[in-house]
Amino acid sequence: MPHATYNNAQKMRAAISHKFRRDYGLGTQPWMENPVYPGKFVGNPSLSVTVHLGETVTSAHAMDEPTLKELWVFNCAAKRNEHVRISRKRKAEHPEDWGGFLIQMMLYLLYLVSFLCLLHFDEALRITWHDVSFQVKDPLLKGHWIDATLKIFNQGIFKGSDFRVRLMLPFRKMHQHGGIAPFYLYADIHKPWMCPIRTFAIWWLLASQNNEHLDGYVFHKKVGSDGVSVNLTDAMSSESFLECFRNNLLDIGVNPRPYGTHSFHRGGCQYLVMVLRWPPFVEHEDYFNPNRPQHDPCPTCGCTCACA
């Protein structure tokens, strides 16, 4: 029997919902008892808010910035324990020993990239180092960026805010044949838990300790308690990520049950619209740029975004 995953179950449910909506004309409203005619039901049966025996359905809960901050603080305080071998007995008795600093910092980078780039985590797991470019402000030409080489890094004349990451995604569910515009991620010096430059730099340094020349997947297969595979073609699986993610949520006292494959995508959308007020009419390269030109303040709300 093939191994069923939560992701497969979500796809099956979506297909059934589509069948009821399109072929039977039952719409997209939740399945519920008609308040006017008791005993009769209306809506889409696959979208019922309760299932057999009265268990409440929980859809993917959106990730948010406060939860990310808690994960960041906890993961930064983790200890390295890659050389500690954990037996099955100890793993069962001490589930909190599921991972150490190296694994948790790799995971946090995956959390943040998925959150900011509106990805499902299985899309983020396919990112390779070839898709990532570190860029720095051109000291000779204002407003221009150049690829950051080791020689530039060693000069020590640039601040953290002078760097950005150019991320080319090779695949997305909505763009399966390429043609995806790159993401440009900038430093956030005021919120380290929301700074992709910091998290990329930390994982780059940690990953470089195992492989001098980084290539292959950014997010490696987990080995043991706090190690990763030295084989650069071994990517972390969706199942392994979900297990680690849920353990990480338990570490900070958050119930992991409502979280799923869409949590970072949904949470990122809400963060960009409600918190950052993501401007719809700027150059793609400046979406995350904290130094992009601002508009005149709105006389009502005082915002300086393009939609004010």
Side-chain angles (χ1 to χ4, degrees):
M1 178 179 293
H3 179 64
T5 65
Y6 180 70
N7 192 29
N8 290 337
Q10 285 187 314
K11 293 178 179 178
M12 293 170 64
R13 186 187 183 201
I16 295 171
S17 300
H18 182 69
K19 177 73 174 179
F20 279 118
R21 177 179 64 84
R22 186 186 65 179
D23 293 355
Y24 298 104
L26 295 178
T28 58
Q29 296 300 315
W31 178 256
M32 59 183 295
E33 188 174 10
N34 192 321
V36 180
Y37 302 102
K40 294 186 177 181
F41 288 79
V42 295
N44 194 315
S46 70
L47 301 178
S48 174
V49 295
T50 58
V51 292
H52 185 57
L53 297 180
E55 182 181 354
T56 301
V57 175
T58 55
S59 59
H61 185 70
M63 178 56 65
D64 54 30
E65 183 186 353
T67 304
L68 283 175
K69 183 178 180 180
E70 288 189 64
L71 289 167
W72 167 259
V73 172
F74 182 89
N75 291 3
C76 285
K79 296 181 179 180
R80 291 289 298 268
N81 59 355
E82 59 181 331
H83 300 299
V84 177
R85 300 194 60 166
I86 299 180
S87 64
R88 292 184 179 179
K89 180 180 178 181
R90 179 172 175 82
K91 184 178 180 180
E93 295 175 348
H94 299 276
E96 68 277 7
D97 292 339
W98 62 272
F101 181 76
L102 185 141
I103 288 295
Q104 293 183 29
M105 295 314 296
M106 179 184 74
L107 287 173
Y108 192 83
L109 173 61
L110 199 154
Y111 301 160
L112 192 58
V113 168
S114 300
F115 189 78
L116 294 177
C117 298
L118 312 181
L119 305 178
H120 304 118
F121 64 77
D122 52 348
E123 294 173 332
L125 287 170
R126 298 179 62 171
I127 297 174
T128 68
W129 286 110
H130 178 72
D131 305 321
V132 180
S133 300
F134 296 95
Q135 297 184 329
V136 66
K137 291 180 181 177
D138 190 336
L140 303 178
L141 185 60
K142 185 177 180 180
H144 187 252
W145 296 77
I146 57 176
D147 288 340
T149 62
L150 283 177
K151 182 179 179 180
I152 290 177
F153 277 119
N154 293 332
Q155 289 179 0
I157 61 174
F158 296 99
K159 302 176 294 184
S161 58
D162 293 332
F163 291 90
R164 74 177 183 183
V165 169
R166 181 178 183 268
L167 179 61
M168 288 291 298
L169 299 179
F171 170 88
R172 294 197 72 176
K173 290 183 178 179
M174 302 302 294
H175 300 82
Q176 299 189 16
H177 303 289
I180 306 169
F183 282 89
Y184 294 91
L185 304 176
Y186 296 80
D188 190 332
I189 60 176
H190 302 293
K191 297 180 179 180
W193 60 92
M194 297 302 297
C195 181
I197 307 304
R198 184 187 298 262
T199 50
F200 258 113
I202 291 174
W203 178 236
W204 182 76
L205 289 172
L206 292 172
S208 298
Q209 295 175 4
N210 292 330
N211 295 279
E212 183 178 353
H213 301 289
L214 292 182
D215 199 359
Y217 291 104
V218 173
F219 306 107
H220 295 183
K221 175 182 177 181
K222 180 175 180 284
V223 176
S225 173
D226 194 30
V228 295
S229 173
V230 295
N231 187 345
L232 299 176
T233 61
D234 284 344
M236 172 173 270
S237 67
S238 297
E239 292 77 14
S240 178
F241 169 77
L242 267 179
E243 179 183 359
C244 292
F245 176 44
R246 289 167 178 165
N247 284 329
N248 211 179
L249 289 172
L250 289 172
D251 287 334
I252 61 172
V254 173
N255 178 15
R257 186 171 178 269
Y259 291 85
T261 183
H262 294 81
S263 295
F264 294 99
H265 175 85
R266 292 179 179 177
C269 288
Q270 296 174 11
Y271 174 76
L272 294 173
V273 174
M274 304 302 295
V275 179
L276 294 187
R277 293 181 63 85
W278 199 0
F281 305 114
V282 298
E283 293 294 331
H284 187 83
E285 189 172 345
D286 286 331
Y287 276 160
F288 294 97
N289 187 356
N291 298 316
R292 66 174 180 269
Q294 299 295 314
H295 291 70
D296 294 332
C298 172
T300 301
C301 65
C303 294
T304 56
C305 59
C307 57

